[in-house]
Amino acid sequence: MHQQGTEASVYGAAGGDKADGRQFFSALAVMRGNADTRVALDRRVQPLLATTNVASVINSLSHLVSILKANNRTQKIDYAWLAQDLYNLQLSYEQANRVRLRWGQQYFRATQANLENEGEKNHD
């Protein structure tokens, strides 16, 4: 879905020396830094992080991909990493919890750091 209608590749590795992309929830965290999109994103991400139903997760991810594409067509995502997470999500309840915890950390931690930096700038 993200690649449709775009000539340049939307895939980029998130790790390693030649990293030119980011993990999916880290990219959403950047968007969450914008107050205009925060509420809509939170409304989609929070139920996703709370569910263990893989079909619901995939459905929610497809909606989030559409939101990401609409807001930033040039953002490169490490979809291989996301695919590995989806695989791990199905292995066991414990693995699913680890994946959802990592997604939540990527989504909320990056935003918290951004908000703290903005607060420091405004404080100076």
Side-chain angles (χ1 to χ4, degrees):
M1 288 173 38
H2 192 179
Q3 185 66 54
Q4 289 176 337
T6 306
E7 288 186 27
S9 175
V10 296
Y11 171 79
D17 295 337
K18 298 180 182 179
D20 63 345
R22 61 176 64 226
Q23 292 183 25
F24 186 71
F25 283 88
S26 294
L28 292 177
V30 172
M31 283 178 45
R32 188 175 189 265
N34 180 346
D36 295 335
T37 58
R38 184 175 301 134
V39 173
L41 278 174
D42 285 353
R43 201 174 308 133
R44 295 252 187 213
V45 171
Q46 289 173 346
L48 166 69
L49 296 176
T51 188
T52 56
N53 182 309
V54 176
S56 294
V57 169
I58 292 170
N59 185 45
S60 295
L61 286 173
S62 66
H63 290 288
L64 289 169
V65 167
S66 297
I67 292 169
L68 180 70
K69 180 180 180 178
N71 284 282
N72 188 349
R73 287 189 159 310
T74 61
Q75 176 65 63
K76 292 187 176 205
I77 303 297
D78 192 336
Y79 282 109
W81 196 308
L82 184 61
Q84 182 67 46
D85 282 346
L86 287 173
Y87 174 78
N88 290 335
L89 196 74
Q90 299 175 64
L91 292 178
S92 69
Y93 182 75
E94 291 78 19
Q95 281 288 89
N97 282 340
R98 285 187 200 111
V99 169
R100 292 180 299 145
L101 175 63
R102 188 172 57 253
W103 286 352
Q105 288 171 336
Q106 290 170 0
Y107 181 68
F108 290 107
R109 185 183 300 150
T111 304
Q112 186 62 36
N114 292 344
L115 292 175
E116 288 171 3
N117 288 340
E118 285 178 16
E120 290 173 7
K121 288 178 189 174
N122 294 335
H123 212 73
D124 291 339

